[in-house]
Protein backbone atom coordinates (compact mmCIF):
# COMPACT_ATOMS: atom_id res chain seq x y z
CA UNK A 1 0.00 0.00 0.00
CA UNK A 2 1.19 3.50 -0.78
CA UNK A 3 0.66 6.29 1.71
CA UNK A 4 1.20 10.00 1.17
CA UNK A 5 3.62 10.93 3.92
CA UNK A 6 3.37 14.55 5.04
CA UNK A 7 6.96 14.30 6.25
CA UNK A 8 8.42 13.63 2.80
CA UNK A 9 5.48 14.99 0.77
CA UNK A 10 5.60 11.81 -1.29
CA UNK A 11 3.56 8.68 -1.70
CA UNK A 12 5.63 5.93 -0.16
CA UNK A 13 5.20 2.18 0.09
CA UNK A 14 4.01 1.30 3.59
CA UNK A 15 6.67 -0.74 5.37
CA UNK A 16 5.86 -1.33 9.05
CA UNK A 17 8.44 -1.44 11.84
CA UNK A 18 7.48 -5.05 12.57
CA UNK A 19 6.33 -7.13 9.60
CA UNK A 20 2.62 -7.90 9.77
CA UNK A 21 1.91 -5.31 12.46
CA UNK A 22 0.81 -1.69 12.28
CA UNK A 23 0.82 0.78 15.18
CA UNK A 24 -1.41 3.77 14.41
CA UNK A 25 -1.97 6.81 16.60
CA UNK A 26 -4.75 9.29 15.75
CA UNK A 27 -5.25 12.55 17.65
CA UNK A 28 -8.72 12.44 19.09
CA UNK A 29 -11.17 15.16 20.09
CA UNK A 30 -11.16 17.55 23.00
CA UNK A 31 -14.26 16.52 24.87
CA UNK A 32 -16.14 19.66 25.81
CA UNK A 33 -19.17 19.33 23.53
CA UNK A 34 -20.80 17.03 20.98
CA UNK A 35 -18.48 16.29 18.06
CA UNK A 36 -19.22 18.04 14.78
CA UNK A 37 -19.06 16.33 11.41
CA UNK A 38 -15.62 17.91 10.77
CA UNK A 39 -14.30 15.97 13.77
CA UNK A 40 -15.98 12.88 12.34
CA UNK A 41 -13.85 13.04 9.18
CA UNK A 42 -10.57 11.82 10.72
CA UNK A 43 -12.50 9.28 12.78
CA UNK A 44 -14.15 7.74 9.73
CA UNK A 45 -11.15 8.02 7.41
CA UNK A 46 -8.60 6.49 9.77
CA UNK A 47 -11.04 3.83 10.97
CA UNK A 48 -11.23 2.87 7.30
CA UNK A 49 -7.42 2.80 7.08
CA UNK A 50 -7.41 0.45 10.05
CA UNK A 51 -10.09 -1.78 8.53
CA UNK A 52 -8.24 -1.95 5.22
CA UNK A 53 -4.92 -2.85 6.85
CA UNK A 54 -6.69 -5.56 8.85
CA UNK A 55 -8.33 -6.82 5.68
CA UNK A 56 -4.83 -7.07 4.18
CA UNK A 57 -3.82 -9.22 7.15
CA UNK A 58 -2.10 -6.71 9.43
CA UNK A 59 -2.44 -6.93 13.17
CA UNK A 60 -3.34 -3.30 13.90
CA UNK A 61 -2.83 -1.56 17.22
CA UNK A 62 -5.02 1.53 16.88
CA UNK A 63 -4.71 4.18 19.57
CA UNK A 64 -6.74 7.37 19.72
CA UNK A 65 -6.87 9.71 22.69
CA UNK A 66 -9.46 11.88 24.35
CA UNK A 67 -8.11 15.25 25.45
CA UNK A 68 -9.93 15.51 28.75
CA UNK A 69 -8.18 18.46 30.37
CA UNK A 70 -8.15 21.71 28.47
CA UNK A 71 -9.18 25.38 28.73
CA UNK A 72 -12.43 24.79 26.82
CA UNK A 73 -13.47 21.97 29.15
CA UNK A 74 -12.68 24.12 32.17
CA UNK A 75 -14.63 27.06 30.72
CA UNK A 76 -17.70 24.92 30.11
CA UNK A 77 -17.46 23.46 33.62
CA UNK A 78 -17.43 26.97 35.05
CA UNK A 79 -20.45 27.93 32.94
CA UNK A 80 -22.41 24.92 34.16
CA UNK A 81 -20.97 25.14 37.65
CA UNK A 82 -19.88 21.52 37.63
CA UNK A 83 -16.60 19.69 37.94
CA UNK A 84 -14.53 19.64 34.68
CA UNK A 85 -14.35 15.85 34.91
CA UNK A 86 -18.11 15.71 34.72
CA UNK A 87 -17.96 17.58 31.39
CA UNK A 88 -15.22 15.38 29.91
CA UNK A 89 -16.85 12.18 31.10
CA UNK A 90 -20.21 13.23 29.64
CA UNK A 91 -18.79 14.10 26.22
CA UNK A 92 -16.54 11.03 26.01
CA UNK A 93 -19.72 9.03 26.42
CA UNK A 94 -21.57 11.07 23.80
CA UNK A 95 -18.61 10.83 21.42
CA UNK A 96 -18.58 7.06 21.76
CA UNK A 97 -22.31 6.97 20.98
CA UNK A 98 -21.68 8.97 17.78
CA UNK A 99 -18.72 6.78 16.83
CA UNK A 100 -20.84 3.68 17.19
CA UNK A 101 -23.56 5.19 15.01
CA UNK A 102 -20.95 6.02 12.36
CA UNK A 103 -19.66 2.46 12.56
CA UNK A 104 -16.27 3.69 13.80
CA UNK A 105 -14.86 0.80 15.77
CA UNK A 106 -13.56 1.48 19.28
CA UNK A 107 -9.78 1.92 19.28
CA UNK A 108 -7.58 -0.79 20.73
CA UNK A 109 -6.95 1.81 23.44
CA UNK A 110 -8.57 5.21 24.05
CA UNK A 111 -6.14 6.81 26.50
CA UNK A 112 -7.18 9.89 28.44
CA UNK A 113 -4.71 12.62 29.30
CA UNK A 114 -5.76 12.89 32.95
CA UNK A 115 -5.03 9.21 33.55
CA UNK A 116 -1.47 9.45 32.26
CA UNK A 117 -0.04 12.36 34.26
CA UNK A 118 2.83 10.41 35.96
CA UNK A 119 4.21 9.35 32.56
CA UNK A 120 3.98 12.93 31.33
CA UNK A 121 5.92 14.15 34.34
CA UNK A 122 8.52 11.49 33.61
CA UNK A 123 8.95 12.65 29.99
CA UNK A 124 9.35 16.26 31.10
CA UNK A 125 11.96 15.16 33.63
CA UNK A 126 13.91 13.38 30.89
CA UNK A 127 13.71 16.41 28.60
CA UNK A 128 15.04 18.70 31.34
CA UNK A 129 17.83 16.23 32.08
CA UNK A 130 18.87 16.17 28.42
CA UNK A 131 18.87 19.95 28.16
CA UNK A 132 15.77 20.13 25.93
CA UNK A 133 13.54 21.76 28.53
CA UNK A 134 13.79 24.26 31.39
CA UNK A 135 11.75 25.33 34.37
CA UNK A 136 10.82 28.92 35.23
CA UNK A 137 8.38 29.83 38.01
CA UNK A 138 6.23 26.71 37.83
CA UNK A 139 6.21 26.53 34.02
CA UNK A 140 8.34 24.09 32.04
CA UNK A 141 9.17 25.05 28.46
CA UNK A 142 10.57 22.99 25.62
CA UNK A 143 13.76 24.55 24.24
CA UNK A 144 12.70 24.45 20.60
CA UNK A 145 16.06 25.39 19.08
CA UNK A 146 17.71 22.52 20.94
CA UNK A 147 15.96 20.11 18.59
CA UNK A 148 17.65 20.06 15.21
CA UNK A 149 14.80 18.75 13.13
CA UNK A 150 12.24 21.35 14.20
CA UNK A 151 10.05 22.26 11.22
CA UNK A 152 10.61 19.05 9.26
CA UNK A 153 6.98 17.97 9.23
CA UNK A 154 5.43 21.33 8.41
CA UNK A 155 8.36 22.16 6.11
CA UNK A 156 8.94 25.41 7.92
CA UNK A 157 12.28 27.00 8.43
CA UNK A 158 12.96 27.78 12.06
CA UNK A 159 14.36 31.23 11.26
CA UNK A 160 11.22 32.16 9.30
CA UNK A 161 9.21 31.04 12.29
CA UNK A 162 11.30 33.23 14.51
CA UNK A 163 10.50 36.35 12.49
CA UNK A 164 6.84 35.33 12.34
CA UNK A 165 6.84 35.19 16.10
CA UNK A 166 8.15 38.68 16.63
CA UNK A 167 4.74 40.18 17.17
CA UNK A 168 3.84 37.41 19.51
CA UNK A 169 7.10 37.85 21.39
CA UNK A 170 6.30 41.52 21.76
CA UNK A 171 2.83 40.73 23.09
CA UNK A 172 4.23 38.26 25.56
CA UNK A 173 6.52 40.89 26.96
CA UNK A 174 3.61 43.27 27.31
CA UNK A 175 1.57 40.70 29.19
CA UNK A 176 4.49 39.90 31.48
CA UNK A 177 4.86 36.28 30.35
CA UNK A 178 8.34 36.84 29.05
CA UNK A 179 10.07 34.10 30.98
CA UNK A 180 10.77 32.09 27.84
CA UNK A 181 14.35 31.96 26.64
CA UNK A 182 13.05 32.11 23.09
CA UNK A 183 9.61 33.00 21.70
CA UNK A 184 9.59 29.64 19.85
CA UNK A 185 9.66 27.66 23.08
CA UNK A 186 6.41 25.98 24.02
CA UNK A 187 4.86 24.79 27.25
CA UNK A 188 5.25 21.27 28.65
CA UNK A 189 3.85 21.99 32.11
CA UNK A 190 1.83 24.98 33.26
CA UNK A 191 1.14 26.12 36.81
CA UNK A 192 -2.39 25.86 38.15
CA UNK A 193 -4.77 28.76 38.14
CA UNK A 194 -7.44 29.26 40.75
CA UNK A 195 -10.37 26.88 40.28
CA UNK A 196 -8.62 24.67 37.72
CA UNK A 197 -7.81 20.98 38.05
CA UNK A 198 -4.17 20.36 38.95
CA UNK A 199 -1.65 17.65 39.74
CA UNK A 200 1.47 17.60 41.91
CA UNK A 201 4.78 17.73 40.06
CA UNK A 202 8.44 18.49 40.77
CA UNK A 203 7.70 21.99 39.35
CA UNK A 204 4.71 22.66 41.54
CA UNK A 205 0.99 22.06 41.15
CA UNK A 206 -0.24 22.35 37.59
CA UNK A 207 -1.19 20.50 34.45
CA UNK A 208 0.53 19.28 31.28
CA UNK A 209 0.58 21.11 27.95
CA UNK A 210 -1.60 19.70 25.17
CA UNK A 211 1.19 18.52 22.84
CA UNK A 212 2.79 16.39 25.51
CA UNK A 213 -0.10 14.00 26.00
CA UNK A 214 0.12 12.53 22.48
CA UNK A 215 3.92 12.03 22.74
CA UNK A 216 3.50 10.18 26.02
CA UNK A 217 0.41 8.12 25.28
CA UNK A 218 1.51 7.00 21.81
CA UNK A 219 4.81 5.76 23.26
CA UNK A 220 3.09 3.99 26.12
CA UNK A 221 0.48 2.17 24.02
CA UNK A 222 2.39 1.64 20.78
CA UNK A 223 6.12 2.13 21.35
CA UNK A 224 9.03 4.45 20.66
CA UNK A 225 8.42 4.48 16.90
CA UNK A 226 4.91 4.60 15.48
CA UNK A 227 4.14 3.25 12.03
CA UNK A 228 1.54 5.90 11.30
CA UNK A 229 0.55 9.08 13.11
CA UNK A 230 -2.60 10.73 11.82
CA UNK A 231 -4.99 13.61 12.35
CA UNK A 232 -6.54 16.59 10.62
CA UNK A 233 -4.24 18.90 8.64
CA UNK A 234 -4.76 21.72 11.15
CA UNK A 235 -2.68 19.65 13.55
CA UNK A 236 0.50 19.60 11.42
CA UNK A 237 1.68 22.83 12.97
CA UNK A 238 2.32 23.33 15.78
CA UNK A 239 0.79 20.22 17.41
CA UNK A 240 2.48 17.46 15.43
CA UNK A 241 5.69 19.40 14.94
CA UNK A 242 5.91 19.78 18.72
CA UNK A 243 5.07 16.13 19.30
CA UNK A 244 8.02 15.16 17.07
CA UNK A 245 10.37 17.54 18.90
CA UNK A 246 9.36 16.22 22.34
CA UNK A 247 9.40 12.55 21.42
CA UNK A 248 12.56 12.48 19.35
CA UNK A 249 14.44 14.64 21.85
CA UNK A 250 13.36 12.39 24.74
CA UNK A 251 13.52 8.96 23.09
CA UNK A 252 16.34 9.39 20.58
CA UNK A 253 14.39 7.42 17.97
CA UNK A 254 12.22 8.35 14.98
CA UNK A 255 8.80 9.26 16.37
CA UNK A 256 6.65 8.14 13.45
CA UNK A 257 7.60 6.73 10.06
CA UNK A 258 4.45 7.95 8.27
CA UNK A 259 2.29 11.00 8.85
CA UNK A 260 -1.20 11.12 7.38
CA UNK A 261 -3.39 14.23 7.46
CA UNK A 262 -6.97 14.54 6.34
CA UNK A 263 -8.18 17.65 4.54
CA UNK A 264 -10.84 19.87 6.02
CA UNK A 265 -14.51 19.38 5.93
CA UNK A 266 -15.68 22.79 4.78
CA UNK A 267 -18.89 24.67 4.63
CA UNK A 268 -19.20 27.57 2.19
CA UNK A 269 -15.49 27.09 1.59
CA UNK A 270 -14.54 27.70 5.18
CA UNK A 271 -13.27 25.11 7.62
CA UNK A 272 -16.11 23.78 9.73
CA UNK A 273 -15.23 24.56 13.33
CA UNK A 274 -16.73 25.26 16.70
CA UNK A 275 -15.03 28.62 16.95
CA UNK A 276 -16.48 29.88 13.65
CA UNK A 277 -19.90 28.59 14.65
CA UNK A 278 -20.45 27.11 11.14
CA UNK A 279 -20.81 23.52 12.24
CA UNK A 280 -23.33 20.71 12.38
CA UNK A 281 -23.00 18.09 15.06
CA UNK A 282 -23.11 14.43 14.09
CA UNK A 283 -26.18 14.23 16.33
CA UNK A 284 -28.02 16.90 14.32
CA UNK A 285 -27.36 15.25 10.97
CA UNK A 286 -28.43 11.88 12.37
CA UNK A 287 -31.86 13.29 13.19
CA UNK A 288 -32.48 13.56 9.45
CA UNK A 289 -30.21 10.95 7.92
CA UNK A 290 -29.09 7.42 8.59
CA UNK A 291 -25.57 7.83 10.10
CA UNK A 292 -24.40 5.57 7.30
CA UNK A 293 -25.07 8.48 4.93
CA UNK A 294 -22.46 10.54 6.81
CA UNK A 295 -19.97 7.69 6.54
CA UNK A 296 -20.65 7.30 2.83
CA UNK A 297 -20.36 11.07 2.34
CA UNK A 298 -16.92 11.20 4.03
CA UNK A 299 -15.58 8.28 2.03
CA UNK A 300 -16.88 9.63 -1.26
CA UNK A 301 -13.80 11.89 -1.38
CA UNK A 302 -10.14 10.97 -1.06
CA UNK A 303 -9.16 11.88 2.50
CA UNK A 304 -6.62 14.57 1.58
CA UNK A 305 -9.02 16.57 -0.61
CA UNK A 306 -11.04 19.28 0.98
CA UNK A 307 -14.67 18.23 1.18
CA UNK A 308 -17.49 20.70 1.05
CA UNK A 309 -20.61 20.01 3.07
CA UNK A 310 -23.93 20.96 1.52
CA UNK A 311 -27.52 19.74 1.47
CA UNK A 312 -27.08 18.63 -2.17
CA UNK A 313 -23.98 16.60 -1.45
CA UNK A 314 -25.48 14.84 1.53
CA UNK A 315 -28.55 14.03 -0.59
CA UNK A 316 -26.32 12.57 -3.28
CA UNK A 317 -24.50 10.55 -0.62
CA UNK A 318 -27.88 9.22 0.43
CA UNK A 319 -28.62 8.24 -3.17
CA UNK A 320 -25.21 6.58 -3.48
CA UNK A 321 -25.78 4.56 -0.33
CA UNK A 322 -29.17 3.49 -1.69
CA UNK A 323 -27.54 2.22 -4.86
CA UNK A 324 -25.41 -0.11 -2.76
CA UNK A 325 -28.40 -1.12 -0.64
CA UNK A 326 -30.58 -1.82 -3.68
CA UNK A 327 -27.87 -3.96 -5.24
CA UNK A 328 -27.51 -5.91 -2.00
CA UNK A 329 -31.28 -6.30 -1.68
CA UNK A 330 -31.63 -7.86 -5.10
CA UNK A 331 -28.97 -10.46 -4.24
CA UNK A 332 -30.55 -11.14 -0.88
CA UNK A 333 -33.93 -11.76 -2.49
CA UNK A 334 -32.38 -14.44 -4.70
CA UNK A 335 -30.58 -15.94 -1.70
CA UNK A 336 -33.79 -15.93 0.35
CA UNK A 337 -35.63 -17.98 -2.28
CA UNK A 338 -33.21 -20.85 -1.65
CA UNK A 339 -33.99 -22.37 -5.01
CA UNK A 340 -31.47 -25.16 -4.36
CA UNK A 341 -30.17 -24.88 -7.93
CA UNK A 342 -26.68 -26.08 -8.66
CA UNK A 343 -24.38 -23.33 -9.82
CA UNK A 344 -24.26 -23.32 -13.61
CA UNK A 345 -20.99 -23.57 -15.50
CA UNK A 346 -21.47 -19.97 -16.60
CA UNK A 347 -21.98 -18.83 -13.00
CA UNK A 348 -18.83 -20.64 -11.96
CA UNK A 349 -16.94 -19.02 -14.81
CA UNK A 350 -18.18 -15.56 -13.80
CA UNK A 351 -17.04 -16.07 -10.20
CA UNK A 352 -13.65 -17.30 -11.30
CA UNK A 353 -12.93 -15.04 -14.22
CA UNK A 354 -14.92 -11.85 -13.88
CA UNK A 355 -15.60 -11.15 -10.23
CA UNK A 356 -11.94 -10.84 -9.11
CA UNK A 357 -11.44 -7.85 -11.41
CA UNK A 358 -13.77 -5.76 -9.25
CA UNK A 359 -11.96 -6.71 -6.07
CA UNK A 360 -8.62 -5.93 -7.73
CA UNK A 361 -9.89 -2.53 -8.77
CA UNK A 362 -11.09 -1.83 -5.25
CA UNK A 363 -7.76 -2.92 -3.75
CA UNK A 364 -5.79 -0.85 -6.26
CA UNK A 365 -7.78 2.24 -5.26
CA UNK A 366 -7.25 1.60 -1.54
CA UNK A 367 -3.56 0.84 -2.11
CA UNK A 368 -3.20 4.22 -3.74
CA UNK A 369 -3.16 6.32 -0.58
CA UNK A 370 -6.56 5.14 0.59
CA UNK A 371 -8.51 6.42 -2.39
CA UNK A 372 -11.96 5.60 -1.05
CA UNK A 373 -13.61 7.67 -3.80
CA UNK A 374 -12.31 5.26 -6.44
CA UNK A 375 -12.98 2.30 -4.15
CA UNK A 376 -16.64 3.32 -4.02
CA UNK A 377 -16.67 3.58 -7.83
CA UNK A 378 -15.37 -0.01 -7.94
CA UNK A 379 -18.28 -1.04 -5.69
CA UNK A 380 -20.74 0.73 -8.01
CA UNK A 381 -19.25 -1.17 -10.93
CA UNK A 382 -19.58 -4.39 -8.99
CA UNK A 383 -23.24 -3.61 -8.39
CA UNK A 384 -23.89 -2.90 -12.06
CA UNK A 385 -22.22 -6.22 -12.77
CA UNK A 386 -24.22 -8.21 -10.19
CA UNK A 387 -27.44 -6.63 -11.48
CA UNK A 388 -26.58 -7.59 -15.03
CA UNK A 389 -25.47 -11.11 -14.23
CA UNK A 390 -28.33 -12.20 -11.97
CA UNK A 391 -32.06 -12.73 -12.43
CA UNK A 392 -34.78 -14.94 -10.98
CA UNK A 393 -33.15 -18.00 -12.57
CA UNK A 394 -29.79 -17.47 -10.88
CA UNK A 395 -28.78 -20.02 -8.30
CA UNK A 396 -28.94 -18.87 -4.69
CA UNK A 397 -25.41 -20.11 -4.25
CA UNK A 398 -24.18 -17.80 -7.01
CA UNK A 399 -26.03 -14.82 -5.53
CA UNK A 400 -24.53 -15.66 -2.14
CA UNK A 401 -20.99 -15.57 -3.49
CA UNK A 402 -21.61 -12.21 -5.14
CA UNK A 403 -23.19 -10.87 -1.96
CA UNK A 404 -20.23 -12.01 0.13
CA UNK A 405 -17.84 -10.04 -2.08
CA UNK A 406 -20.04 -6.95 -1.95
CA UNK A 407 -20.34 -7.28 1.83
CA UNK A 408 -16.59 -7.63 2.33
CA UNK A 409 -15.73 -4.51 0.33
CA UNK A 410 -18.56 -2.33 1.54
CA UNK A 411 -19.10 -3.42 5.12
CA UNK A 412 -15.89 -5.07 6.32
CA UNK A 413 -13.51 -2.60 4.70
CA UNK A 414 -15.36 0.69 4.21
CA UNK A 415 -17.66 0.18 7.19
CA UNK A 416 -20.71 0.98 5.06
CA UNK A 417 -23.57 -1.42 5.73
CA UNK A 418 -25.04 -2.68 2.48
CA UNK A 419 -28.25 -3.46 4.31
CA UNK A 420 -30.98 -0.95 4.81
CA UNK A 421 -31.59 -0.21 8.42
CA UNK A 422 -35.20 -0.92 9.29
CA UNK A 423 -36.40 2.07 11.26
CA UNK A 424 -36.58 0.83 14.76
CA UNK A 425 -39.87 1.29 16.59
CA UNK A 426 -39.36 2.38 20.17
CA UNK A 427 -41.04 0.66 23.10
CA UNK A 428 -43.14 3.75 23.69
CA UNK A 429 -44.35 3.68 20.09
CA UNK A 430 -45.20 -0.01 20.32
CA UNK A 431 -47.29 0.64 23.44
CA UNK A 432 -49.11 3.50 21.70
CA UNK A 433 -49.72 1.46 18.54
CA UNK A 434 -51.15 -1.44 20.51
CA UNK A 435 -53.34 0.85 22.55
CA UNK A 436 -54.78 2.39 19.36
CA UNK A 437 -55.37 -1.04 17.81
CA UNK A 438 -57.29 -2.11 20.92
CA UNK A 439 -59.41 1.04 20.77
CA UNK A 440 -60.09 0.40 17.10
CA UNK A 441 -61.18 -3.19 17.77
CA UNK A 442 -63.53 -1.91 20.50
CA UNK A 443 -64.93 0.81 18.19
CA UNK A 444 -65.63 -1.77 15.50
CA UNK A 445 -67.42 -3.99 18.01
CA UNK A 446 -69.64 -1.04 18.87
CA UNK A 447 -70.15 -0.46 15.14
CA UNK A 448 -68.52 2.95 15.48
CA UNK A 449 -66.84 2.66 12.07
CA UNK A 450 -66.13 6.36 11.84
CA UNK A 451 -63.95 6.12 14.96
CA UNK A 452 -62.30 2.93 13.68
CA UNK A 453 -61.35 4.68 10.43
CA UNK A 454 -60.10 7.66 12.33
CA UNK A 455 -57.73 5.41 14.31
CA UNK A 456 -56.51 3.76 11.12
CA UNK A 457 -55.68 7.24 9.77
CA UNK A 458 -53.96 8.18 12.99
CA UNK A 459 -51.76 5.08 12.72
CA UNK A 460 -51.05 5.84 9.06
CA UNK A 461 -49.88 9.29 10.09
CA UNK A 462 -47.43 7.56 12.43
CA UNK A 463 -46.16 5.57 9.46
CA UNK A 464 -47.87 2.36 10.58
CA UNK A 465 -50.07 0.21 8.38
CA UNK A 466 -52.46 -2.34 9.84
CA UNK A 467 -53.95 -5.45 8.38
CA UNK A 468 -56.96 -7.37 9.67
CA UNK A 469 -56.11 -11.05 9.56
CA UNK A 470 -57.73 -14.20 10.89
CA UNK A 471 -55.17 -14.20 13.71
CA UNK A 472 -56.08 -10.64 14.64
CA UNK A 473 -54.75 -7.22 13.68
CA UNK A 474 -51.17 -7.12 12.37
CA UNK A 475 -49.13 -3.93 12.02
CA UNK A 476 -45.90 -2.88 10.38
CA UNK A 477 -43.93 0.18 9.31
CA UNK A 478 -45.20 1.50 6.00
P1 LIG B 1 -10.28 19.03 17.95
O1 LIG B 1 -11.29 18.49 18.93
O2 LIG B 1 -10.58 20.37 17.41
O3 LIG B 1 -8.85 18.88 18.47
O4 LIG B 1 -10.35 18.07 16.66
C1 LIG B 1 -10.30 16.66 16.67
C2 LIG B 1 -9.91 16.16 15.32
O5 LIG B 1 -10.82 16.65 14.31
C3 LIG B 1 -8.52 16.66 14.85
O6 LIG B 1 -7.86 15.58 14.15
C4 LIG B 1 -8.85 17.80 13.90
O7 LIG B 1 -7.83 17.99 12.95
C5 LIG B 1 -10.11 17.28 13.25
N1 LIG B 1 -10.94 18.35 12.66
C6 LIG B 1 -11.51 19.40 13.30
N2 LIG B 1 -12.23 20.16 12.44
C7 LIG B 1 -12.14 19.57 11.22
C8 LIG B 1 -12.69 19.86 9.93
N3 LIG B 1 -13.48 20.90 9.70
N4 LIG B 1 -12.39 19.01 8.92
C9 LIG B 1 -11.61 17.94 9.11
N5 LIG B 1 -11.07 17.60 10.30
C10 LIG B 1 -11.32 18.40 11.35
ZN1 LIG C 1 -2.09 14.80 19.20
Amino acid sequence: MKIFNTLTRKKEEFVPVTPGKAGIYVCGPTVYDYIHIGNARPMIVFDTLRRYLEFRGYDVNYVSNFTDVDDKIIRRALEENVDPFEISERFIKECKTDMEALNVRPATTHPQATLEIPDMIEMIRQLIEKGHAYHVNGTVYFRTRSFDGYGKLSHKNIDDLESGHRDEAHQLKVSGEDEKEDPLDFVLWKPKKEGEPFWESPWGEGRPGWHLECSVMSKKYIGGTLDIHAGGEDLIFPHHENEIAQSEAANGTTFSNYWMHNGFLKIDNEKMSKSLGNFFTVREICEKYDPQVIRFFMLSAQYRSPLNFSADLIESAKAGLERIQNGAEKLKDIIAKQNGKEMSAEEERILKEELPAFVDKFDAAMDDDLNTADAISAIFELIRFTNASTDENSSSEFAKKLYETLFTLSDTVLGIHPERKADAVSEEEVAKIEQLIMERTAAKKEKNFARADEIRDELAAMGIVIKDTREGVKWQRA
Side-chain angles (χ1 to χ4, degrees):
M1 177 184 198
K2 281 203 158 61
I3 287 177
F4 181 89
N5 190 349
T6 309
L7 200 58
T8 56
R9 289 180 165 164
K10 283 196 194 93
K11 279 188 196 170
E12 295 171 13
E13 192 58 39
F14 176 61
V15 183
V17 176
T18 310
K21 296 198 169 188
I24 306 177
Y25 185 88
V26 182
C27 295
T30 306
V31 280
Y32 67 102
D33 207 341
Y34 291 96
I35 56 164
H36 62 71
I37 52 174
N39 301 133
R41 190 171 191 195
M43 287 179 184
I44 292 171
V45 160
F46 299 117
D47 173 66
T48 306
L49 170 73
R50 170 197 193 172
R51 287 165 177 269
Y52 183 61
L53 288 173
E54 285 181 352
F55 170 67
R56 297 305 292 255
Y58 286 92
D59 174 9
V60 180
N61 179 11
Y62 190 88
V63 179
S64 190
N65 65 311
F66 288 116
T67 298
D68 63 349
V69 57
D70 166 271
D71 291 344
K72 293 182 199 124
I73 299 173
I74 296 168
R75 201 177 314 135
R76 177 142 188 176
L78 286 173
E79 277 164 21
E80 292 192 20
N81 198 19
V82 295
D83 192 277
F85 297 109
E86 197 180 315
I87 300 290
S88 55
E89 218 170 282
R90 185 195 311 161
F91 289 110
I92 286 174
K93 212 163 140 246
E94 300 293 4
C95 179
K96 287 184 173 171
T97 302
D98 288 337
M99 283 168 62
E100 196 184 337
L102 297 169
N103 209 14
V104 169
R105 286 168 46 203
T108 316
T109 313
H110 280 291
Q112 287 173 232
T114 58
L115 304 177
E116 310 287 349
I117 305 285
D119 287 14
M120 293 197 223
I121 289 174
E122 178 52 25
M123 190 177 265
I124 298 175
R125 214 189 44 71
Q126 284 175 16
L127 287 169
I128 294 178
E129 204 175 276
K130 293 185 176 179
H132 290 294
Y134 56 95
H135 168 219
V136 198
N137 290 332
T139 305
V140 182
Y141 294 101
F142 186 86
R143 192 173 272 129
T144 301
R145 280 185 183 275
S146 74
F147 178 67
D148 276 346
Y150 198 81
K152 65 181 172 182
L153 181 71
S154 50
H155 304 275
K156 289 182 195 286
N157 179 310
I158 200 159
D159 294 316
D160 294 345
L161 281 171
E162 184 76 284
S163 59
H165 270 71
R166 257 183 218 138
D167 283 351
E168 190 189 310
H170 175 70
Q171 277 178 359
L172 288 178
K173 290 218 165 73
V174 171
S175 65
E177 292 175 35
D178 57 343
E179 321 149 320
K180 288 194 208 177
E181 290 176 2
D182 184 323
L184 289 180
D185 296 348
F186 58 88
V187 171
L188 300 174
W189 185 265
K190 51 181 139 190
K192 74 163 181 185
K193 284 195 199 132
E194 201 46 47
E196 288 186 358
F198 65 88
W199 289 263
E200 301 287 342
S201 85
W203 317 284
E205 293 168 340
R207 62 186 164 105
W210 170 44
H211 313 301
L212 191 67
E213 68 178 87
C214 294
S215 282
V216 168
M217 299 189 291
S218 59
K219 181 182 174 188
K220 178 162 176 187
Y221 294 101
I222 298 178
T225 300
L226 315 175
D227 288 306
I228 301 172
H229 194 315
E233 66 180 4
D234 52 335
L235 300 186
I236 297 173
F237 188 85
H239 184 54
H240 288 163
E241 198 70 64
N242 291 358
E243 282 186 36
I244 293 178
Q246 295 162 158
S247 292
E248 297 195 350
N251 306 335
T253 49
T254 300
F255 178 41
S256 179
N257 286 330
Y258 301 85
W259 287 85
M260 293 175 82
H261 292 100
N262 65 273
F264 288 144
L265 181 75
K266 298 186 164 193
I267 190 158
D268 298 327
N269 282 318
E270 253 191 307
K271 179 194 171 195
M272 183 178 286
S273 77
K274 290 257 163 65
S275 52
L276 291 172
N278 59 350
F279 64 92
F280 289 103
T281 61
V282 167
R283 223 38 88 80
E284 278 170 315
I285 304 294
C286 290
E287 280 170 13
K288 234 182 120 188
Y289 293 94
D290 177 347
Q292 289 288 295
V293 174
I294 304 180
R295 186 156 185 129
F296 184 98
F297 168 75
M298 294 295 177
L299 297 180
S300 64
Q302 204 270 353
Y303 73 93
R304 284 190 293 125
S305 324
L307 177 59
N308 218 28
F309 181 80
S310 71
D312 281 355
L313 286 175
I314 200 89
E315 279 297 326
S316 82
K318 184 173 174 224
L321 176 65
E322 277 167 6
R323 255 161 96 183
I324 297 179
Q325 291 169 334
N326 293 342
E329 208 157 83
K330 179 177 176 195
L331 294 173
K332 284 191 80 180
D333 283 348
I334 302 172
I335 299 169
K337 285 197 184 114
Q338 297 207 352
N339 56 17
K341 272 191 197 163
E342 288 270 311
M343 240 197 278
S344 69
E346 173 59 6
E347 288 176 338
E348 293 206 13
R349 189 196 64 77
I350 288 176
L351 292 182
K352 217 166 116 211
E353 291 175 15
E354 296 195 44
L355 185 62
F358 297 94
V359 180
D360 290 348
K361 201 161 183 188
F362 178 91
D363 287 352
M366 296 295 275
D367 278 343
D368 181 14
D369 193 27
L370 205 75
N371 193 334
T372 53
D374 286 357
I376 287 178
S377 302
I379 292 183
F380 283 160
E381 282 179 35
L382 171 64
I383 284 167
R384 269 198 297 278
F385 174 73
T386 62
N387 279 338
S389 48
T390 52
D391 58 31
E392 64 274 17
N393 297 315
S394 305
S395 78
S396 301
E397 193 51 28
F398 176 59
K400 190 160 167 253
K401 292 277 187 247
L402 295 177
Y403 182 81
E404 279 167 5
T405 301
L406 173 61
F407 187 88
T408 302
L409 305 188
S410 179
D411 195 295
T412 311
V413 181
L414 297 185
I416 294 169
H417 295 313
E419 279 159 39
R420 221 177 293 281
K421 191 181 78 186
D423 283 339
V425 183
S426 70
E427 271 177 51
E428 259 171 314
E429 271 183 300
V430 171
K432 172 124 200 256
I433 292 162
E434 288 178 350
Q435 172 67 29
L436 284 169
I437 290 176
M438 260 161 48
E439 276 180 38
R440 177 171 169 272
T441 309
K444 275 172 63 171
K445 244 191 193 148
E446 291 161 12
K447 304 226 174 324
N448 184 353
F449 297 111
R451 175 66 189 140
D453 286 349
E454 214 175 86
I455 293 171
R456 180 188 283 270
D457 292 345
E458 202 172 317
L459 285 163
M462 289 167 64
I464 301 296
V465 286
I466 50 173
K467 225 158 104 188
D468 294 305
T469 73
R470 247 181 289 172
E471 293 88 45
V473 184
K474 294 259 161 71
W475 63 267
Q476 65 179 64
R477 268 244 190 264

